[in-house]
Amino acid sequence: RWRWSQRSSASMPSSTVAEYSFDVVSEFNSAELTNALDQARREVGTRFDFKDTATSYDQRGDVIVIESASEDRAKAALQVLREKGARRQLSPKLFQASDPKTVGKGRGQIEIRLNAGINDDLARDLRKRIQNVSSKVQVRIQGDQLRVTSKDKDTLQAVIKSLREADDIPVPLQFTNYR
């Protein structure tokens, strides 16, 4: 009986080393975007400085078109949208605005492209940045997201911190599935 228990404990593997990971993604909550657009429309409709400007927000897929009485009013309407988005945890990097242009009868128009998603070039750039933080991490590109793994939680925290502090990354990043 004693030999059996000794053999069974000897055949068990020694403590396994845990591996931690998280995913880097760039996405946005479309319901929050809809709410931000609705709030911006409501504010523009009630503010005195937008009276008689016929300012409108029109979402067409991944593009939002703001149209108003002048280019300056369109810029102000864009600022209102950014403020409402910020209150709903939408990054300012999400709204990539083109230059204002004048359309019929002197009206101003701004097209805003929703800037989310990680393309191949950005994924390679992010991989280099992550590996510059620590050589102890493994980075796998999985479509439009990156999986970052390490045996040390502190290393992963340092990677997240460095990516959050990088202002030159063109898209908003989220860190999900932290295990």
Side-chain angles (χ1 to χ4, degrees), residues 1-156:
R1 180 179 164 121
W2 179 78
R3 286 184 181 183
W4 178 82
S5 64
Q6 185 181 19
R7 264 190 247 128
S8 64
S9 66
S11 65
M12 288 184 185
S14 59
S15 65
T16 57
V17 178
E19 208 166 73
Y20 306 100
S21 68
F22 67 89
D23 295 336
V24 180
V25 297
S26 177
E27 53 193 25
F28 64 94
N29 186 337
S30 59
E32 293 296 348
L33 177 65
T34 302
N35 289 339
L37 280 167
D38 289 344
Q39 287 180 345
R41 283 185 192 109
R42 229 176 289 126
E43 181 167 326
V44 164
T46 58
R47 271 180 40 179
F48 181 76
D49 57 336
F50 283 102
K51 188 174 183 171
D52 298 328
T53 59
T55 302
S56 67
Y57 296 91
D58 186 23
Q59 184 176 2
R60 304 172 188 151
D62 282 354
V63 176
I64 299 170
V65 178
I66 299 176
E67 195 172 308
S68 191
S70 68
E71 287 184 13
D72 288 338
R73 287 294 89 205
K75 286 180 190 174
L78 171 61
Q79 189 58 36
V80 169
L81 177 62
R82 285 188 170 142
E83 289 169 5
K84 298 302 175 187
R87 288 188 183 154
R88 307 206 71 79
Q89 277 72 45
L90 296 173
S91 171
K93 291 180 181 180
L94 177 65
F95 305 108
Q96 190 136 54
S98 66
D99 292 331
K101 60 185 176 188
T102 303
V103 292
K105 298 182 182 175
R107 293 183 58 77
Q109 180 178 333
I110 298 177
E111 287 188 4
I112 304 164
R113 195 173 62 80
L114 297 177
N115 187 25
I118 299 176
N119 61 27
D120 292 339
D121 294 334
L122 180 60
R124 284 190 289 275
D125 178 49
L126 289 173
R127 178 194 285 172
K128 283 180 192 170
R129 289 172 190 251
I130 291 168
Q131 289 174 337
N132 286 342
V133 172
S134 173
S135 59
K136 295 180 182 179
V137 295
Q138 291 84 42
V139 183
R140 288 191 306 275
I141 299 173
Q142 301 174 332
D144 61 349
Q145 68 180 20
L146 281 80
R147 168 74 45 94
V148 182
T149 58
S150 175
K151 294 178 181 174
D152 182 24
K153 283 184 182 180
D154 295 336
T155 305
L156 293 180

